[in-house]
Amino acid sequence: MHQGEKVVFSPTEAAAMILGHLKRLAEHHLKSVVCDVVISVPAYWTDRQRRAMLDAARIAGLNPLRAMNDTTATALQYGIYRNKELPEKEEEAIKVLFVDVGYADTTATVVNFSHGKLKVSSAECDDSFGSRDLDNILYKHFAEEILKKRSEEHTS
């Protein structure tokens, strides 16, 4: 229900509402206007999904500069703070593996770093294993352990 009326929103419209809310929160916190946005998205998202998110940002009154893979965003942040430690020559680039265990997926990205440069050399995503799966495995394991201990307590 929206303003007393039953309405069906598209995923893009729903994302725009969320982004608009986040924009208002940021503006309230910063006491300043927020215009530009870079959005991190899962590496496995298709071009269509990325464009829909950029459209949602526009609907929310934002100027989307880019949709960036979430692990690439992490790598960029890492590289900014390590820039002085990185080798000058590209041939001597440091390779770093970034792993993101999300709720529903796991993404691994290999990034080559040299002074002032970042190059994503590989990005892979496994959408069949995420933290929910790890949580489930741990839950089952400990449930079995507890049942086993209870069974042993009742038999002794």
Side-chain angles (χ1 to χ4, degrees), residues 98-116:
F98 294 91
V99 178
D100 175 17
V101 181
Y103 176 71
D105 69 325
T106 300
T107 304
T109 303
V110 177
V111 179
N112 297 337
F113 289 97
S114 58
H115 191 74

